[in-house]
């Protein structure tokens, strides 16, 4: 999870994807109530998945924005477990994931927060090239 800051949200999300190429779900905070989330459903020559805009239903009380991507990934796990239980004749893969729901409830410390999901765009991104690990600079931007 990262904040878009002055960068366009999609560019910030792509940079985050580059830093965490094996993550199934990453998000960029766009503003005080919106998170742009990339959800990977398939890997290979390119990454396929959904680009979803998650927005707090209550602008005065958006809840923990950093939990939005994990709430979406929790839905993926729930769907995968239940779809596999309903379809006995074959294994269901995450690649068969339908578009995300229109809303999710995130509960943190027993407080529910309604999140609306829009822009369920099915997208394909090229794979992120892997680069060798460089020494981490404790004064670098990732520690500020």
């Amino acid at each position: 999870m990262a904040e878009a800051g002055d960068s366009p949200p999609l560019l910030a999300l792509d940079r985050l994807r580059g830093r965490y190429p094996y993550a199934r779900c990453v998000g960029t905070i766009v503003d005080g109530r919106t998170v742009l989330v990339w959800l990977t459903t398939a890997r290979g020559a390119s990454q396929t998945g959904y680009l979803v805009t998650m927005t707090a239903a209550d602008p005065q009380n958006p809840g923990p924005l950093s939990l939005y991507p994990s709430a979406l990934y929790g839905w993926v796990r729930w769907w995968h477990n239940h779809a596999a239980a309903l379809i006995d004749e074959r294994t269901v893969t995450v690649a068969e994931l339908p578009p995300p729901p229109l809303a999710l409830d995130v509960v943190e410390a027993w407080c529910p927060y309604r999140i609306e999901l829009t822009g369920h765009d099915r997208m394909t991104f090229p794979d992120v090239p892997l680069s060798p690990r460089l020494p981490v600079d404790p004064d670098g931007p990732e520690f500020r």
Side-chain angles (χ1 to χ4, degrees), residues 107-129:
V107 179
E108 190 234 2
W110 296 277
C111 295
Y113 302 95
R114 172 64 51 129
I115 291 124
E116 298 169 347
L117 288 74
T118 57
H120 309 116
D121 297 326
R122 185 101 171 139
M123 296 189 76
T124 301
F125 282 100
D127 263 351
V128 178

Side-chain angles (χ1 to χ4, degrees), residues 3-134:
E3 290 195 29
D6 293 334
S7 298
L10 192 54
L11 179 60
L13 187 65
D14 196 46
R15 286 183 186 145
L16 189 61
R17 251 181 17 91
R19 286 201 325 245
Y20 303 102
Y22 295 108
R24 286 294 211 174
C25 192
V26 294
T28 300
I29 297 173
V30 176
D31 57 35
R33 64 181 286 236
T34 306
V35 178
L36 187 62
V37 178
W38 166 249
L39 172 67
T40 303
T41 57
R43 297 185 184 280
S46 58
Q47 291 186 357
T48 303
Y50 288 101
L51 183 65
V52 181
T53 302
M54 300 179 76
T55 307
D58 180 0
Q60 304 305 321
N61 193 10
L65 297 176
S66 60
L67 293 181
Y68 286 21
S70 61
L72 184 59
Y73 190 66
W75 169 78
V76 170
R77 302 288 299 169
W78 173 87
W79 177 86
H80 186 255
N81 291 338
H82 284 76
L86 293 173
I87 302 173
D88 292 333
E89 67 272 5
R90 65 182 176 87
T91 302
V92 179
T93 66
V94 175
E96 299 172 278
L97 185 74
L102 299 177
L104 287 172
D105 288 331
V106 171
V107 179
E108 190 234 2
W110 296 277
C111 295
Y113 302 95
R114 172 64 51 129
I115 291 124
E116 298 169 347
L117 288 74
T118 57
H120 309 116
D121 297 326
R122 185 101 171 139
M123 296 189 76
T124 301
F125 282 100
D127 263 351
V128 178
L130 298 177
S131 59
R133 292 266 307 157
L134 300 173

